[in-house]
Amino acid sequence: MGNDPEVLVIGAGFAGLYTIHRLRGLGISVHGLEAADDVGGTWYWNRYPGARCDSESYYYCYSFSRELEQEWEWSERYPGQAEILSYLEHVADRFDLRRSFSFSTRVVAAEWDGDRWVVDTADGTRWTCRWLVTAVGCLSSANVPDIPGLESFAGTWHHTGQWPHEGVDVTGQRVGVLGTGSTGIQAIPVLAASAGHLTVFQRTANFSIPARNAPLSASEAAGYKADYPAIRAVQQASTNGHPFVVSDVDTLALPAGERRDLFERAWERGGLRFRAAVREVLTDPAVNDQASEFIRSKIRSTVRDPEVAETLLPRDHPFATKRPPIDTEYFETYNRSNVTLVDVRADPVAEITPDGVRLASGAEHGLDVLVFATGFDALSGPLLRLGIRGRDGVALTDAWAEGAATYLGLGVAGFPNLFTITGPGSPSVLTNMPTSIEQHVDWIADLVAHLRARDLDAEPTPQAQERWAEHVREAADATLLPQAASSWYLGANVPGKPRVFLPYAGGFARYREMCDAEADAGYPGFALRERRRASA
Ligand code: FAD
Ligand code: NAP
């Protein structure tokens, strides 16, 4: 194979690992390139205090191997970062995947030369391949805001997605956290427990549901293992790839007391199931208002200082139109005497000084450690950073200047033999991602086998891509999701990023059926070219 496998895969997270395993199983020569020095992806990089999954352990895992499902033991309802990383390391060992990867190898350019992909890495190595599969993740490009003065800061600063492996000792320190998304909401309670003082800089107040994490008992674990066929069937038929059936109760028709009881039960059970307990929460504004107001009432009754509670009340977007965080004692943390909440929408950050953060009003907050929980240049960001050039040298950055466009989130017109796992326009981040990843990898593996058997190259047709973009828009517009103006789903968190609703909101099951129909019909949305003509 040398430096010329049939397929090159970029990334060694859930997606890259399974791609290598699946393609190897088909007898296709395949190699992976990964910037990190080991496997894990998200769970290799995100080692911030409190990093934990919001999907539950029994389904935040692969389903492709019945033996793996039965032998792995999860210890908690929601697995922590270290446990998920151990799981992925175990998968790499069990299926002997590491031998197919080059680690500490960052891809900096990938160009289609009319016949093959020519891929360059930061260490100066060149690879070629016929098919290029990106498994670079949706949330792997850290977004560090460009705030004047950061270089002058005398303390230390860290982005949560690039957290030092040796950890950061904040004992007794003055710590600042910028950002109250899922990451900030997980990190804040844990940091507050050991920091001398914690200052939270909040731009947008967020809804959050208690996780209710707990050890997984032996009987619960055994029950899940026995039920896996049924659990997987529910996931495949679901909107979000989670094994929950969305409630069929019409909450609008319920008397107020019964409605409150329904919300209370869902709140007590905790987690992302809360969303599934409220039918049409993402499509009917009246239903959403009820759920939003219920959560606001919980914030008011949890946070003792009414002014702080008021600042924490989310009002600028309906519940779940931004990815809903789940938490462990997040709102309770604001009752601690060593925690200060600062509203940086009312008084924005002006600059970072050697001593901390200065706001537009001139108010200063002294800090020893500044934590950027400011998220990611999501979905398109990691792909644009690959330096991809397609047919006729067209750069992906130019093709996507007005916003990312794909066919099914799996390929891009003008970029032959490039397949994107959980790319923009796929359900990806709106789902339990291992479920979506397995569906994508299986679909791409079948396509590559189809092309290989017939000696064909493939790329989406511009017409199919345009139709898909329209469908992605319609699917988003049929929901309340576009109402969250500051959402990273829209690219709104990165200055200058085109505002396009990036994931496909039409639901996982529907999407899977459309992908299957595309394959069954012989890939009509792709131009399939005989190899000799393509290289002539
Ligand atoms: P990743 O795990 O992101 O792996 C991509 C890999 O590609 C990385 O290792 C990266 O180093 C590598 N890479 C990128 N660019 C290059 C390059 N140029 N050259 C070489 N290598 C490159 N999803 C859920 O469904 N449920 C959850 O509860 C959940 N919790 C999350 C918690 C956090 C803190 C974060 C950040 C994300 C979470 N997600 C969750 C989403 C999570 O990203 C996915 O579940 C999943 O881990 C993605 O796997 P992946 O292999 O597609 O991408
Ligand atoms: P995020 O949701 O994008 O949140 C970033 C936060 O930083 C927001 O509060 C944002 O405010 C703020 N921010 C960004 N730039 C800022 C600036 N210049 N000044 C002030 N505030 C700024 O990022 P995230 O919390 O890392 O989460 C990203 C996604 O990763 C999640 O939505 C989820 O999909 C995944 N994730 C999952 C889990 C889990 O499942 N356990 C945990 C962590 C992350 P605005 O809202 O005003 O933009």
Side-chain angles (χ1 to χ4, degrees):
M1 167 166 76
N3 275 18
D4 184 36
E6 289 175 276
V7 181
L8 259 183
V9 179
I10 310 173
F14 266 95
L17 290 171
Y18 181 46
T19 309
I20 296 282
H21 177 67
R22 185 73 167 75
L23 291 175
R24 264 208 221 152
L26 292 173
I28 296 172
S29 78
V30 56
H31 192 77
L33 306 176
E34 166 57 60
D37 64 13
D38 204 351
V39 301
T42 290
W43 306 102
Y44 172 95
W45 294 106
N46 287 265
R47 299 177 189 230
Y48 59 85
R52 186 175 289 286
C53 202
D54 284 357
S55 296
E56 297 184 40
S57 51
Y58 71 94
Y59 64 88
Y60 189 74
C61 52
Y62 293 113
S63 68
F64 70 82
S65 160
R66 296 290 167 241
E67 295 78 22
L68 176 65
E69 258 173 10
Q70 293 300 319
E71 73 198 16
W72 183 259
E73 303 288 347
W74 292 109
S75 69
E76 292 179 273
R77 178 174 176 190
Y78 303 96
Q81 172 270 331
E83 190 168 11
I84 305 171
L85 185 58
S86 299
Y87 170 76
L88 291 172
E89 288 169 347
H90 170 76
V91 170
D93 290 340
R94 193 189 191 289
F95 298 100
D96 189 19
L97 301 176
R98 281 194 180 86
R99 71 176 161 84
S100 293
F101 277 100
S102 299
F103 294 105
S104 306
T105 303
R106 180 170 289 281
V107 172
V108 292
E111 180 154 5
W112 175 252
D113 73 357
D115 181 52
R116 307 182 82 65
W117 282 98
V118 180
V119 176
D120 290 318
T121 68
D123 64 6
T125 314
R126 173 160 286 189
W127 290 77
T128 52
C129 62
R130 187 160 160 196
W131 293 285
L132 181 62
V133 177
T134 62
V136 290
C138 299
L139 299 163
S140 60
S141 289
N143 171 41
V144 178
D146 186 15
I147 303 175
L150 180 57
E151 68 294 342
S152 73
F153 185 49
T156 55
W157 66 266
H158 306 280
H159 186 279
T160 49
Q162 298 169 338
W163 201 257
H165 287 200
E166 63 280 13
V168 179
D169 183 6
V170 299
T171 312
Q173 304 271 295
R174 297 169 305 162
V175 181
V177 175
L178 195 65
T180 52
S182 296
T183 298
I185 282 177
Q186 284 189 331
I188 285 163
V190 184
L191 288 168
S194 49
H197 193 89
L198 180 74
T199 307
V200 178
F201 300 95
Q202 173 191 275
R203 188 165 68 182
T204 306
N206 218 335
F207 294 97
S208 184
I209 309 294
R212 315 269 182 227
N213 191 27
L216 205 60
S217 69
S219 66
E220 282 170 313
Y224 292 138
K225 286 185 182 186
D227 281 350
Y228 262 131
I231 290 167
R232 299 306 188 191
V234 177
Q235 287 181 265
Q236 291 299 316
S238 72
T239 306
N240 298 105
H242 293 266
F244 320 142
V245 177
V246 175
S247 163
D248 57 4
V249 176
D250 179 358
T251 47
L252 289 180
L254 288 179
E258 283 180 38
R259 185 184 316 133
R260 176 96 199 169
D261 288 347
L262 181 145
F263 287 155
E264 287 286 358
R265 283 195 301 277
W267 184 262
E268 279 315 308
R269 201 164 52 232
L272 293 172
R273 282 170 193 263
F274 181 91
R275 185 178 51 186
V278 190
R279 191 182 87 171
E280 292 173 355
V281 73
L282 268 177
T283 49
D284 186 331
V287 174
N288 194 296
D289 280 351
Q290 293 173 343
S292 297
E293 192 43 41
F294 174 82
I295 300 170
R296 284 192 285 263
S297 76
K298 288 292 184 188
I299 299 172
R300 283 193 203 92
S301 62
T302 305
V303 179
R304 285 192 215 109
D305 181 326
E307 253 182 68
V308 176
E310 189 58 35
T311 308
L312 286 167
L313 296 183
R315 295 204 185 275
D316 82 329
H317 64 283
F319 166 63
T321 54
K322 296 176 86 167
R323 161 66 152 74
I326 67 171
D327 70 272
T328 299
E329 312 236 308
Y330 172 64
F331 294 113
E332 290 82 346
T333 298
Y334 293 95
N335 294 331
R336 295 177 66 107
S337 57
N338 70 333
V339 175
T340 306
L341 178 66
V342 175
D343 180 354
V344 295
R345 186 175 294 277
D347 189 0
V349 174
E351 64 170 333
I352 295 174
T353 66
D355 189 44
V357 167
R358 200 176 60 76
L359 305 181
S361 65
E364 297 208 26
H365 295 272
L367 301 174
D368 305 307
V369 181
L370 177 54
V371 177
F372 287 103
T374 43
F376 303 89
D377 182 354
L379 287 121
S380 54
L383 293 167
L384 290 170
R385 289 185 195 191
L386 292 173
I388 294 177
R389 287 184 180 273
R391 260 190 305 109
D392 308 320
V394 173
L396 188 63
T397 43
D398 290 332
W400 284 2
E402 305 296 317
T406 66
Y407 180 47
L408 294 169
L410 286 158
V412 186
F415 296 80
N417 289 2
L418 170 72
F419 304 120
T420 52
I421 300 176
T422 62
S426 75
S428 60
V429 293
L430 299 178
T431 67
N432 177 55
M433 289 202 63
T435 311
S436 283
I437 286 169
E438 286 187 318
Q439 184 265 339
H440 266 195
V441 173
D442 289 342
W443 195 92
I444 290 169
D446 288 348
L447 174 55
V448 169
H450 178 93
L451 299 174
R452 188 172 179 257
R454 294 162 182 78
D455 208 16
L456 299 171
D457 293 329
E459 70 177 81
T461 65
Q463 298 79 3
Q465 182 161 297
E466 188 38 52
R467 277 198 309 276
W468 184 249
E470 186 53 36
H471 181 58
V472 170
R473 271 192 294 275
E474 281 166 9
D477 288 345
T479 71
L480 305 176
L481 288 162
Q483 291 191 17
S486 66
S487 168
W488 60 260
Y489 293 158
L490 271 170
N493 62 326
V494 176
K497 188 166 175 173
R499 297 286 192 275
V500 172
F501 193 85
L502 290 164
Y504 173 61
F508 172 74
R510 185 172 165 207
Y511 171 81
R512 186 172 49 76
E513 283 165 14
M514 287 188 286
C515 290
D516 289 349
E518 172 73 21
D520 291 347
Y523 305 101
F526 286 77
L528 304 180
R529 294 195 191 90
E530 279 179 32
R531 189 100 179 117
R532 278 183 300 281
R533 282 219 322 260
S535 53

